[in-house]
Amino acid sequence: MDLSRLEINRRTALLTSAAIAANVINPMRAFAQETPRKGGVFNVHYGAEQRQLNPSIQASTGVYIIGGKIQENLVDLDASGQPVGVLAESWEATPDGKTVTFKLRKGITWHDGKPFTSEDVAFTAMNMWKKILNYGSTLQLFLTSVDTPDPQTAIFRYERPMPLNLLLRALPDLGYVSAKHLYESGDIRQNPTNLAPVGTGPFKFVKYERGQYIIADRNPDYWRPNAPYLDRIVWKVITDRAAAAAQMEAGELHYSPFSGLTISDMARLGKDKRFVVSTKGNEGNARTNTIEFNFRRKELADIRVRRAIAHAINVPFFIDNFLGDFAKLGTGPIPSTSTDFYPGPNTPQYPYDKAKAIAQLDEAGFKASGGNRFSLKLLPAPWGEDISLWSTFIQQSLSEVGIQVDIVRNDGGGFLKQVYDDHAFDLATGWHQYRNDPAVSTTVWYRSGQPKGAPWTNQWGWEDKTVDKTIDDAATEVDPAKRKALYADFVKEVNTELPVWMPIEQIFVTVITAKARNHSNTPRWGSASWHDLWLSA
Amino acid sequence: MRILSLAGRRLAASIPTLFLILIGVFLLLQLAPGDTVDALMAQMGGGDAATAEALRKFYGLDLSVPAQLGNYLWHLVRLDLGFSSIYGKPVANVILERLPPTILLMTASLSFAFFFGLVFGVIAARGVNRWPDTMISTLGLIFYATPSFWFGLMAIVVFSVYLQWLPPGGFEDIGTVQTGIWRVLDIAAHLVLPTLTLGLIFLAIYLRIMRASMLEVLNLDFVRTARAKGLDETHVITRHVLRNALLPMVTLIGLQAGTMLGGSVVVESVFSLPGLGRLAYESVVQRDLNTLLGIVFVSALLVISVNFVVDLLYARLDPRIAAEG
């Protein structure tokens, strides 16, 4: 390992943490009394163009960052992470959990002037969330119908109990409403509105020039009083991270969301007074770094080998030297940012202990011949620099206990196909995205019976009846306290068996101009509507 | 015109090549693991198996590979490039939108590289082994050895971040709507740094080729004759040497028109230009077969037509080629 590089990284990390603290606290205090200023253009870094912009049919940050300003969801999360009504004013569930009634806000119109009603909600729920939306189709699997007794009431009826808490925590991401009158005829996926979205949100779509930019202007008829403040938002397509950092410095960009710059550029800009670099406002987009084990390899089917691999890797060292302030030690599939479900750190953990790792490998009967016990093929996902660094770190750590690791790199499509469909891996490493409730996209990593080819699901060749039962019970448990207890059991069970190890917790990093006000004030701010965002002079 | 029939014959020969290239690229992309639905899943952050199946049907991926290839070629014969899965519109439109920036960038940097390569090559050859030659050759070597992405980023840092003379990226200014001459000037300002970045490496090559070929021609008998005739040095160079020394340069242009299309992926990404190179890269990552094949087709057409022009230029520069055939 290159020592000089480690030194620099450690120093940078320390400096950055000081810089972040200074930047985040001071501006908030100093400008708390300012009067909001109307006007201005907000330029946003858009790193990866999507195929369409409608968040009702695609749940990803790349869509929310644009579509989330134009279309709105039924509920969103407030500053403390609790559900707060947007298009819905109030909600209630029957005690059996099979019926959830939403009361909708009055007097809201679509950007084309047509009124927003419960018909729109019913149409979107049945035809988009249930049929097309990724994760939505799983969440709404048992949704049988949405009744609309009047234009302000939508009644969701479920075949099995739907925990209200789960629904309300999933809907900020999976609850964007589209206009029925624009989608009712023809194939929804091919509808041209997907590339020129029409919503009820604070900004109206203006223009999309593929490969270059997207523009949305202030909606003068927005339902919240005095909002929005900005005149215009421009999303600039910039695929090169270093170039995006230069554009931030040249003043051509105001905001780079979701860790869009390189780790070193984020650390550098964090020391610059013109910018705020922080993980605040991204708590709802937590992720964990993984090591996924393929049980089809006899060595990895042995629990002692999986535990030995975990013990062999010095995670705190890796975080300190490579990720700095942007990551922390993880304790399992439910990250500590999830206040409603985090079971605490007292679940089975695997701290760095090389001697223990070697002992367990010996005990499992995999003796080193010529320094090598066996070889493994490691497939890192291509989504982030941290994964690439992490995979090299795994390789070097395991070589010290006699396991040779060969790293096989793929692009996105290739990685998903090889790991989740062809099962052509021994170890895989990528991100597990936690979406505010374990039932949304976390338990599928462990529940058996996932169809072959479904990405980010249990494709490890591992099955555990106890874990399956805990997952199923929790998914339909209506009592929040009992649900939390069930998920604590779940974390204990999977941390014991270790089909997937999730030892690092990360939150996306925001880089934003110090002139921005009211930014990062909700846990999913990058995806939020920005109705209260303004720029100081 | 013999030369026309010669060039025509070469043009005809390139059509089967074109088809072989397309089939090759098609099959090569089949070897890459994952299809456009996997790529979409990667972009969306996941989805269930039923969604994936519906999407495969939607993109026509439920057909066998030979059937897909057959379909594609049959459409191509009728000059239909198919439908792009990432853009949701005909490939021909997608490519047409992206062609102007690429062609502008390519023409600008080729002309820049050709002109200055020629001038510096001549200067270096005239003063061979003296200080102008040493300086020019060293500079050329530095340009040649510098990776273009680094050069581009440094240019942005110096000219856009510190000096703020030129825009750091993009094709034109989005903040204000411009028309006529102002729009042309705006686009030109946006293209200065990318052109320099892409052109400098080629400049280095051209200047070395020009220098070598000048030196070679300067030693030929007819140059001695020209000098013996009493012509002054400027005349000898412009009338006799330059014309003959240009032949290798022209060959190089033909060869590099293709390289420039590929080489601009880096420059287009660094400067956020909406060109063909970035489109090609995106189509590979997104496994958008139709768009990728469409780009290969259009690039091949561009290269073939540039080479056709080069063939004609040869004849103009050296009449012996047309005469001998």
Side-chain angles (χ1 to χ4, degrees):
Chain A
M1 223 174 277
D2 185 350
L3 277 175
S4 62
R5 180 172 179 187
L6 292 186
E7 285 300 314
I8 288 166
N9 275 324
R10 178 171 288 166
R11 201 181 311 140
T12 325
L14 288 173
L15 286 171
T16 316
S17 57
I20 287 177
N23 266 333
V24 172
I25 297 161
N26 290 336
M28 302 274 166
R29 213 181 276 155
F31 299 112
Q33 299 307 317
E34 274 183 308
T35 5
R37 191 178 74 102
K38 286 233 175 205
V41 178
F42 192 60
N43 294 315
V44 182
H45 173 206
Y46 192 39
E49 279 183 286
Q50 309 285 312
R51 296 183 194 186
Q52 61 90 34
L53 301 174
N54 182 354
S56 312
I57 59 171
Q58 184 180 332
S60 55
T61 48
V63 171
Y64 300 142
I65 188 74
I66 296 163
K69 326 301 172 239
I70 297 162
Q71 285 175 252
E72 288 180 299
N73 36 16
L74 284 181
V75 292
D76 207 335
L77 299 176
D78 68 9
S80 59
Q82 293 309 305
V84 57
V86 180
L87 290 178
E89 232 167 5
S90 65
W91 45 81
E92 62 176 349
T94 51
D96 67 356
K98 289 189 177 177
T99 309
V100 183
T101 306
F102 287 95
K103 283 280 174 200
L104 307 177
R105 219 171 278 280
K106 274 186 193 148
I108 294 180
T109 54
W110 294 100
H111 293 159
D112 62 5
K114 299 250 172 27
F116 158 78
T117 70
S118 56
E119 288 289 328
D120 296 309
V121 176
F123 177 84
T124 310
M126 294 307 290
N127 297 289
M128 297 183 178
W129 303 348
K130 189 176 162 67
K131 287 188 186 151
I132 302 178
L133 181 64
N134 49 325
Y135 296 112
S137 52
T138 317
L139 179 77
Q140 308 290 5
L141 188 62
F142 299 111
L143 175 70
T144 48
S145 65
V146 179
D147 296 346
T148 52
D150 65 69
Q152 259 64 55
T153 311
I155 306 172
F156 285 59
R157 298 191 188 282
Y158 291 91
E159 201 183 313
R160 295 193 192 172
M162 163 62 83
L164 184 62
N165 252 346
L166 163 59
L167 188 64
L168 292 177
R169 267 168 189 73
L171 281 184
D173 274 351
L174 306 177
Y176 281 89
V177 183
S178 289
K180 182 185 179 187
H181 64 272
L182 295 171
Y183 281 94
E184 50 191 347
S185 61
D187 186 341
I188 290 174
R189 280 199 180 89
Q190 277 181 303
N191 195 309
T193 313
N194 293 334
L195 282 166
V198 173
T200 56
F203 295 94
K204 275 179 156 176
F205 173 85
V206 175
K207 193 176 185 194
Y208 186 178
E209 202 63 57
R210 288 303 279 253
Q212 297 192 64
Y213 57 85
I214 298 148
I215 296 176
D217 278 352
R218 178 173 194 276
N219 173 11
D221 306 317
Y222 188 53
W223 57 271
R224 288 185 214 253
N226 295 321
Y229 296 110
L230 299 171
D231 281 340
R232 169 173 279 196
I233 304 175
V234 178
W235 292 266
K236 295 186 179 175
V237 180
I238 301 163
T239 49
D240 189 275
R241 284 164 184 252
Q247 296 223 18
M248 289 283 312
E249 285 189 274
E252 299 269 323
L253 283 180
H254 293 119
Y255 170 51
S256 177
F258 308 127
S259 305
L261 308 180
T262 61
I263 295 178
S264 57
D265 275 333
M266 292 191 294
R268 189 168 58 84
L269 295 184
K271 286 176 268 173
D272 190 325
K273 284 200 170 59
R274 293 173 296 162
F275 306 101
V276 175
V277 177
S278 153
T279 54
K280 195 173 177 297
N282 292 317
E283 297 83 354
N285 291 107
R287 62 185 198 268
T288 58
N289 287 71
T290 63
I291 296 185
E292 299 149 41
F293 299 100
N294 191 345
F295 283 65
R296 295 163 192 92
R297 273 293 294 259
K298 67 172 193 315
E299 293 91 343
L300 297 176
D302 191 320
I303 188 159
R304 289 168 296 194
V305 174
R306 299 198 298 277
R307 287 175 181 166
I309 287 176
H311 279 305
I313 299 169
N314 190 346
V315 183
F317 178 87
F318 175 74
I319 294 175
D320 282 353
N321 289 291
F322 293 96
L323 305 179
D325 247 32
F326 303 130
K328 64 188 238 185
L329 196 64
T331 54
I334 300 180
S336 59
T337 47
S338 175
T339 42
D340 295 312
F341 297 103
Y342 182 57
N346 296 323
T347 51
Q349 299 298 328
Y350 303 88
Y352 176 60
D353 188 340
K354 197 170 144 191
K356 199 168 177 182
I358 290 171
Q360 292 207 343
L361 286 169
D362 285 341
E363 193 194 315
F366 300 107
K367 298 274 191 250
S369 62
N372 189 19
R373 296 172 202 270
F374 51 87
S375 304
L376 294 172
K377 190 161 80 167
L378 169 64
L379 273 69
W383 342 118
E385 272 183 275
D386 58 313
I387 301 177
S388 176
L389 294 167
W390 175 233
S391 63
T392 318
F393 191 74
I394 296 171
Q395 183 184 42
Q396 293 180 356
S397 304
L398 293 189
S399 81
E400 297 200 0
V401 295
I403 301 173
Q404 192 201 322
V405 173
D406 301 310
I407 296 178
V408 183
R409 292 182 198 280
N410 283 288
D411 59 9
F415 172 79
L416 292 188
K417 172 86 176 153
Q418 299 226 295
V419 175
Y420 301 99
D421 200 359
D422 297 343
H423 304 147
F425 69 104
D426 298 324
L427 300 174
T429 179
W431 292 336
H432 148 250
Q433 302 264 5
Y434 182 79
R435 292 179 167 81
N436 299 312
D437 189 298
V440 181
S441 59
T442 300
T443 52
V444 286
W445 283 72
Y446 300 92
R447 177 72 171 87
S448 69
Q450 303 293 334
K452 186 169 165 289
W456 295 289
T457 64
N458 176 359
Q459 302 289 338
W460 334 122
W462 172 78
E463 188 177 340
D464 188 304
K465 292 282 176 235
T466 325
V467 172
D468 285 355
K469 189 174 175 322
T470 315
I471 291 172
D472 295 348
D473 289 348
T476 50
E477 176 56 61
V478 189
D479 180 352
K482 282 186 192 157
R483 267 193 95 211
K484 182 172 181 175
L486 280 169
Y487 281 123
D489 292 345
F490 156 77
V491 174
K492 270 182 206 123
E493 286 158 15
V494 299
N495 275 7
T496 309
E497 286 301 313
L498 217 64
V500 183
W501 188 39
M502 301 192 179
I504 304 172
E505 223 176 273
Q506 291 196 70
I507 301 176
F508 283 118
V509 180
T510 292
V511 181
I512 192 165
T513 167
K515 283 182 182 171
R517 299 289 177 272
N518 283 341
H519 69 85
S520 312
N521 52 9
T522 70
R524 58 187 292 282
W525 187 78
S527 304
S529 74
W530 299 352
H531 62 88
D532 56 347
L533 172 67
W534 58 279
L535 288 169
S536 84
Chain B
M1 278 283 275
R2 270 191 84 134
I3 185 68
L4 262 187
S5 79
L6 175 74
R9 246 185 293 138
R10 289 185 53 175
L11 206 60
S14 52
I15 289 176
T17 321
L18 187 57
F19 268 85
L20 281 179
I21 292 174
L22 286 176
I23 295 172
V25 172
F26 185 93
L27 295 177
L28 212 60
L29 219 71
Q30 299 297 326
L31 289 182
D35 56 25
T36 191
V37 174
D38 290 311
L40 179 59
M41 285 288 180
Q43 205 183 47
M44 295 199 300
D48 57 60
T51 313
E53 201 184 324
L55 282 167
R56 290 223 157 77
K57 199 163 260 163
F58 177 71
Y59 289 126
L61 292 169
D62 43 354
L63 297 173
S64 69
V65 173
Q68 286 179 45
L69 178 60
N71 262 350
Y72 183 78
L73 291 179
W74 175 233
H75 281 285
L76 190 66
V77 171
R78 292 176 295 164
L79 291 179
D80 173 8
L81 291 176
F83 209 72
S84 156
S85 47
I86 41 175
Y87 286 87
K89 54 183 172 185
V91 169
N93 295 7
V94 175
I95 293 180
L96 265 179
E97 280 169 17
R98 294 293 188 102
L99 213 47
T102 305
I103 293 197
L104 258 180
L105 180 62
M106 193 174 84
T107 326
S109 21
L110 263 183
S111 326
F112 164 78
F114 188 84
F115 179 74
F116 285 99
L118 192 140
V119 171
F120 287 132
V122 172
I123 296 175
R126 291 293 311 274
V128 67
N129 292 336
R130 275 181 285 140
W131 69 266
D133 179 32
T134 318
M135 202 180 72
I136 289 172
S137 299
T138 313
L139 264 182
L141 211 63
I142 291 173
F143 292 153
Y144 189 65
T146 314
S148 54
F149 75 89
W150 186 84
F151 195 87
L153 285 172
M154 287 308 117
I156 293 179
V157 168
V158 174
F159 293 105
S160 307
V161 177
Y162 286 106
L163 298 175
Q164 311 224 332
W165 288 351
L166 291 164
F171 186 58
E172 55 186 316
D173 194 4
I174 330 163
T176 46
V177 181
Q178 283 156 324
T179 45
I181 183 74
W182 296 111
R183 181 159 185 245
V184 172
L185 285 177
D186 180 46
I187 293 178
H190 278 85
L191 281 179
V192 172
L193 292 181
T195 303
L196 286 179
T197 307
L198 188 59
L200 276 181
I201 288 182
F202 292 100
L203 167 73
I205 301 174
Y206 284 138
L207 99 84
R208 290 203 71 82
I209 296 283
M210 194 61 205
R211 178 179 173 273
S213 123
M214 281 287 289
L215 287 177
E216 195 190 321
V217 177
L218 273 172
N219 285 329
L220 292 180
D221 289 342
F222 71 87
V223 178
R224 198 174 305 135
T225 315
R227 282 192 181 129
K229 232 163 42 168
L231 285 180
D232 65 273
E233 196 61 14
T234 322
H235 240 87
V236 173
I237 299 283
T238 48
R239 295 286 299 274
H240 296 271
V241 183
L242 199 59
R243 196 160 165 169
N244 283 287
L246 266 178
L247 275 179
M249 291 279 275
V250 174
T251 317
L252 215 59
I253 282 211
L255 286 173
Q256 282 181 337
T259 325
M260 281 249 183
L261 283 174
S264 51
V265 180
V266 173
V267 173
E268 284 169 17
S269 301
V270 169
F271 291 98
S272 321
L273 289 172
L276 271 189
R278 238 175 78 202
L279 185 67
Y281 176 76
E282 228 172 286
S283 351
V284 174
V285 173
Q286 299 269 332
R287 304 282 190 277
D288 185 352
L289 205 57
N290 282 351
T291 307
L292 186 67
L293 290 172
I295 295 169
V296 171
F297 184 74
V298 171
S299 310
L301 283 186
L302 274 179
V303 172
I304 289 171
S305 34
V306 169
N307 277 303
F308 183 74
V309 175
V310 167
D311 279 346
L312 295 182
L313 264 181
Y314 272 165
R316 199 73 196 99
L317 286 171
D318 187 349
R320 282 173 303 175
I321 293 176
E324 286 159 21

